[in-house]
Amino acid sequence: MANPLLAGRGSRVLLLGNEAIARAALESGICVAAAYPGTPSTEILEAIIEVAEQCSVYVEWSVNEKTAFEVAYGAAIAGLRSLVAMKHVGLNVASDILMSSAYAGVEAGFLVVTADDPSMHSSQNEQDNRWYGLLSHLPVIEPSNPRDAYELTKESYALSEKYKIPVILRTTTRISHTRMPIVLSGEIASGRNCRGVFRQDLSRWVLVPGNARRRKLELVKTWASIMEKEGEEPFIRIINPGSSKVIIASGIAFSYVREALNLLNAVDKATVIKVNMPVPLPRAPVKKVLESASEVLVVEELDPVVEMQVKDLAQTEGYSIRIRGKDLIPLNYELSIESVYSAVKKFLGIEGKTPWESIGVVETPTPIPPRPPVLCAGCPHRLTFYIVKTAANKAGLKNPVYTGDIGCYTLGYQKPFETQSTCFEMGGSIGVANGLVRAIDNPVIAVIGDSTFFHAGLPPSINAVYNNSHIIILVLDNLTTAMTGHQPHPGTGISATGKKTTRVLPEKILESIGYRVYVINPMKTKESIEAVTEAFREYKNGGMVAIVSRMKCALEVAREARRSHVTLPLYAVIEDKCTGCMACVNLTACPALIVEPGAKKPRIMSDLCIGCGLCASICPYKAIIVVNNPTPGYEKLWWEP
Amino acid sequence: MNRIYNIGVIGVGGQGLLTLGRIIGLAAIHAGLDVAVAEVHGMSQRGGSVIVNVRIGEEPSPLIPVGGADLLISLELLEAVRYIQYLRRGGVLVSNDFIWPPPLARYPSRDEIVKSLKSKEINLYIYDANKASTEFTGSTVSANIAILGFTMGVDEELEEILGLEKVAKALEEVFKGRVLEVNKELLRRSYIEGVKIAEKRRGSR
């Protein structure tokens, strides 16, 4: 069970796109890597963390993407190769330093990996981050599959060092989260010297207006030079030159175009330009192909970033050819082989049936219910939401508005909780609450996770106290960054590589800002309802209150219980006592509680129940009881005092 | 291999689908084939609908088209119905005999689901992989391995492309120690069960 990430040159290993980027970065000799977790980018840093010690790489989960960028950039201006990775929206957070880093440049290869999420599988938008290349005048490299990601990551380091600027590597969910066999073409560098030198150079590192103006001229020169000189492999490739029909494909779109042409037996019917550097689009090779073209189709996912550059080029050169793109290729969501196949077919004027014949849908007498993402069985957020809603009733807190944030707890927007009325961006729960209280008379409760609180929750928390915005802050502290796969954060006191470090507690921060903080353990449902009721009463009397609800993520508890051979309680519904009132089912929406078709009473799926006990505490008839012998002291797994 | 062989691995997050996809991908490597294994899942850690697209063939793009799957392996019956349109005419569906209903939902019974599936032109196999796993390992955690073994037994095309030995070898890269031994044995047992069922079906035709 050797780690494929450490396999030797020549090995053929199955790597996730993100792992391929990590391996290539290690081969490129990075000394520093930093990130804030975010789907679909997370596995890049996770892969590096696994081998960080063997490879002598410094690696960290930073508190947010801006800081992660700065960490990696700091190393790069001191002459060490480095990497920062983030999801697409993370680059919005880091965009301030991105723009400046383009002006000041780097001393060693520096890669900014942005993993975009077309179709929004796990995101609030599907922005196309190739625009950031045009905005910052930095080159964007875009692989078409995980194998490409491996090779192009290495080429990106060379490019970054050649021009002494940061390089943006843009992947998408479909590349980051696809595994492919990759033949490793290099070895991981060993015995490197990871000590850099910071050379004082005020005209470069101090971007006061006079210096920034000079640096902008340098940047414009570099931009033009890349556009002119990098018009060959590995950044652009011309396949089957000489055809009058031309298809230009960038990133993942190339994989679909290639397969579509194969299916249509039309590989020789079009010249294909495979664009690996969509920004800036190399002009010379495209110009040469356009000279003999009659019609062009640009295939790319999301925005017409390449299409606009091709049209710009054709206009400048005075070519009067039809350039098609977003009229045939959707502007929204992920591409698919079906959508690209039909566009290519139409473009080439080929007739015939599609090669796929579905058996169609299957109708069932009761329709198949949707399966939206849900809070896991035993999820602490379920307990907290129940407690907070119950306490709000008890304290007479009328029609509270729950501003929400980014994390598993966002799922609280669903019934029966309805404890998230907004979800925009990291830290937005508290920020937007600051504004809502200026507009409405309802109490506003800002609900934010622990990792999100450290990421972007501090400035708006301070803002609320400073500007006297009367809000309630609810920090859901499950002692991990759960949604992205359980990464540690400052509140855990554990570093990325599992070392003990200073623990930063949300309640200490909030207290020092000026909040009266109530820390609750939601496993103790009754006590917690009392405490939160008191907090709400204090709020009604004008107090600035915050609540920290601390209970470990159920998945972590289950994992630790297995590891340490602790038996957690297992609950069951006692048929004789159960009246079928369904309070447990309707108030918890726990995936472990099911009602079979035709059944009048619920049943607990023993494989799923991990013994949080919420259903038992809700049951008015005491019909839900523990039916095994839990290990004494099992509660400690849930709560760390 | 000229054409691309498409396998959709479907079920509910937490059922070991990503591991199953990875094992098939590793087996393809051992068989000297190119492959893409694309994981499609939403924002939840557990309990969401998941499909892993496994495409075996030269430089495949990542996603299986609707009507393009030669084989669907489902760890859950409701999900089998949800993704059924991915199956091509005459394709094979192997589903775990297990329903995991979403919270607060009304859903069809097992018999209704099976009857509806049988109305289609597909090769349908329902196999209790949870039971196979529980009987041998004490929990449902290896249901993914059990259903893979069974599928290798009933689907001759998959067996020809990958080979049981290559799958067993792939397990060595994913598990270790006792878990590896148990899973290897479970793979073999469920494979034999599959072979028997397939033989019986051929005999009755």
Side-chain angles (χ1 to χ4, degrees), chain A residues 12 147 179 338 358 371, chain B residues 33-34 66 79 85 100:
Chain A
R12 188 163 174 258
R147 274 204 279 274
R179 295 175 194 276
E338 293 103 312
S358 170
R371 194 186 294 276
Chain B
L33 301 167
D34 198 2
V66 169
E79 295 308 310
Q85 77 270 22
W100 179 354

Side-chain angles (χ1 to χ4, degrees), chain A residues 28 52 63 72 107 121 133 221 305 314 400 445 515 531 550 586 606 616 633:
Chain A
S28 304
V63 292
E107 282 297 284
H121 295 282
K221 247 191 262 169
V305 173
I445 306 177
Y515 291 86
R550 181 165 296 133
N586 294 329
S606 54

Side-chain angles (χ1 to χ4, degrees), chain A residues 472-517:
Chain A
I472 301 166
I473 294 174
L474 171 61
V475 180
L476 302 172
D477 186 359
N478 60 2
L479 298 160
T480 188
T481 316
M483 192 160 75
T484 46
H486 303 104
Q487 293 76 26
H489 60 65
T492 65
I494 304 288
S495 76
T497 49
K499 304 235 161 40
K500 242 184 128 89
T501 177
T502 306
R503 187 171 176 193
V504 185
L505 291 168
E507 59 267 35
K508 297 273 186 226
I509 296 173
L510 288 162
E511 271 160 16
S512 73
I513 295 171
Y515 291 86
R516 169 87 191 277
V517 185

